[in-house]
Amino acid sequence: MPLDTATIAPKARQEYLRIGKQFGSTDTLNQANKTLEALLKYAPALKNHGFNAADVARLSDGRDALIAAGIGRAGVAGQRKLTNRGFIAALKEGKGARETAHSILYAGRSDLEEKGDEVTANAIAVALDQTRATQDDAEKLAVQLDTLRDVLKGQAVAAVVEDRGGPDAVTRLGKAADALRAAAKEREGQSTVAATEQLDLIDGIIVTLARSARKAARAAARETQHPALAAAFELTHLYGTRGERAQAAEEPPSAPG
């Protein structure tokens, strides 16, 4: 049956849109097909681990909605959202730059506390707290990088992190923030909001369901000691192979309910 998106609550809709904007519809279609193929064999094993028949049907409906919109068909223009590998790469680099900055600032804070500079140490603590949550929104992540860069450039902090990678981190944070903003701007120019919002919504639903199926598969695989079960649900079309992605950075803080 057709995918019904009209009844989705506003908060959940915004979360699906946020997730969907990160992925090209061709990739989400391929992932939906892969996950559905795995479900033909393993759906019964996932039922008691959180992924039931209704989820399977919803994923199938989402896949069909993309096909109906022309995704996967050569020559279709206008309503087709293009894959933007540069956007995903910019997000990955931004998160990596943030992680490095955090590590450097943690070390610097300890040094400052030993020296009795509580004011500067507290300023670092505030910045770390403000930037601790994973952001998959390009502008929000760029703002986090700006915050960390400003702290690292402060005179007292710069002095204690100079030989801990501080100068390189400042440069990397600046470049990563610029790349995030440029990639986001490029994606916005690919097509109109009217042409992409519905696809973003469907993509977000599919990605959320594929992640949920993978979680259930991993739980089932651990219980049954059947690694092939988990492997069948890997998100290779969204994130590449295991060796190409940082799995810990992939999940959002929560999924819409």
Side-chain angles (χ1 to χ4, degrees), residues 211-224:
R211 287 171 172 171
S212 181
R214 186 191 60 177
K215 286 180 181 293
R218 287 181 170 181
R222 282 192 294 269
E223 182 176 285
T224 61

Side-chain angles (χ1 to χ4, degrees), residues 103-221:
S103 178
I104 293 170
L105 286 171
Y106 273 118
R109 184 180 64 174
S110 296
D111 201 349
L112 289 163
E113 287 174 342
E114 284 191 15
K115 294 177 179 177
D117 189 348
E118 295 293 337
V119 173
T120 306
N122 287 338
I124 291 177
V126 170
L128 291 173
D129 185 64
Q130 290 176 338
T131 60
R132 66 182 177 179
T134 296
Q135 294 290 350
D136 292 318
D137 179 283
E139 179 57 29
K140 289 181 180 179
L141 180 55
V143 169
Q144 288 189 343
L145 302 188
D146 291 341
T147 298
L148 294 169
R149 184 167 177 262
D150 289 343
V151 173
L152 283 167
K153 289 172 64 179
Q155 185 175 356
V157 177
V160 298
V161 300
E162 184 175 3
D163 62 347
R164 296 180 185 274
D168 288 341
V170 168
T171 300
R172 184 182 179 189
L173 288 165
K175 290 181 178 179
D178 289 344
L180 282 164
R181 292 185 170 108
K185 185 176 181 180
E186 181 181 352
R187 287 187 85 253
E188 289 172 359
Q190 286 180 351
S191 53
T192 66
V193 173
T196 61
E197 185 170 285
Q198 182 65 14
L199 288 177
D200 284 336
L201 182 63
I202 297 170
D203 288 337
I205 292 170
I206 288 175
V207 171
T208 300
L209 286 167
R211 287 171 172 171
S212 181
R214 186 191 60 177
K215 286 180 181 293
R218 287 181 170 181

Side-chain angles (χ1 to χ4, degrees), residues 38-105:
L39 286 165
L40 289 174
K41 182 176 182 180
Y42 294 117
L46 270 58
K47 180 179 179 181
N48 291 329
H49 293 278
F51 200 86
N52 63 17
D55 295 323
V56 177
R58 188 167 171 79
L59 180 58
S60 179
D61 291 343
R63 186 269 310 275
D64 293 346
L66 287 184
I67 293 174
I71 305 304
R73 191 166 66 239
V76 175
Q79 293 189 340
R80 179 175 182 176
K81 188 179 66 173
L82 301 178
T83 300
N84 193 332
R85 295 290 185 185
F87 184 79
I88 301 299
L91 280 176
K92 182 177 180 181
E93 169 58 15
K95 291 176 182 180
R98 185 188 58 187
E99 183 178 6
T100 295
H102 273 211
S103 178
I104 293 170
L105 286 171

